[in-house]
Amino acid sequence: MSGSDWGVTAAPWRRVTPEWNNLPVLMELTQPVGRETMSAFKWKTLVGVSAVLLSIGMSTYAAPCTNASLIGSYGIQEQGMHTDSAGVFSEFRSIGTISFNGQGAGTKNDTLWFLDFTVSPSQNTVTYVVRSDCRFTFTYDSNGESFEGVIVANGTKLLYMETSGDPVRNGQAEKIKTQQ
């Protein structure tokens, strides 16, 4: 059976001789006889999509994270529920910064807005630990409130939630670009 019986034709840039008929790398596959060949555009698209999928697959494997994976300053935005001194739940929002030193310590400075329209600045020192799977915990040194999170987007974004302290709090942070 020859290559032409399988619907194989030479790529337009290649002159076909009998010995080339069995080299599919240099051939262009066609649909069954009577239908037009797969266009160059379709082949380029197929090759391009394959390359993208391959690069995504390769980029999902990254070196393990460490405390050094969190270094620098991040802009933060949080929302949640807070219990006041009377034990009443109150909704709040906050915005500010959190900075990590790459060695397990940092500071968090933010402004909280409460449902009753009070605004309160807040400053905390934090201790943190990053696990190899890029999940991390950080704890306020002053009151022990703790958070669980994950490092995403090559370290440029953090997603986290409170696991002790306020009944509900979640936040996100994005790396602040510095002048170079």
Side-chain angles (χ1 to χ4, degrees), residues 13 96 137:
W13 48 269
T137 58

Side-chain angles (χ1 to χ4, degrees), residues 53-109:
L53 291 175
L54 180 61
S55 68
I56 289 170
M58 291 174 67
S59 69
T60 58
Y61 176 79
C65 288
T66 66
N67 279 355
S69 302
L70 282 181
I71 191 163
S73 296
Y74 293 77
I76 61 169
Q77 182 178 18
E78 300 175 329
Q79 61 185 19
M81 298 291 285
H82 170 76
T83 51
D84 64 17
S85 58
V88 176
F89 291 108
S90 176
E91 188 176 345
F92 75 90
R93 308 266 189 277
S94 77
I95 193 159
T97 61
I98 190 166
S99 298
F100 301 99
N101 70 358
Q103 299 174 353
T107 56
K108 181 174 180 265
N109 296 292

Side-chain angles (χ1 to χ4, degrees), residues 7 25 53 81 91 99 127 139 147 159:
V25 172
L53 291 175
M81 298 291 285
E91 188 176 345
S99 298
T127 303
T139 304
F147 300 79
L159 305 172

Side-chain angles (χ1 to χ4, degrees), residues 21 25 40 42 49 54 58 78 105 120 123 135 141 156 166:
N21 279 341
V25 172
K42 288 179 186 176
V49 168
L54 180 61
M58 291 174 67
E78 300 175 329
S120 173
Q123 182 176 11
R135 291 183 299 145
D141 294 339
T156 62
D166 291 323

Side-chain angles (χ1 to χ4, degrees), residues 137-139 144-149 161-167 169:
T137 58
F138 70 90
T139 304
E145 287 184 35
S146 60
F147 300 79
E148 182 80 23
M161 66 180 187
E162 190 162 1
T163 54
S164 72
D166 291 323
R169 179 190 303 208

Side-chain angles (χ1 to χ4, degrees), residues 41-57:
F41 174 77
K42 288 179 186 176
W43 273 107
K44 288 178 185 175
T45 302
L46 179 63
V47 169
V49 168
S50 297
V52 168
L53 291 175
L54 180 61
S55 68
I56 289 170

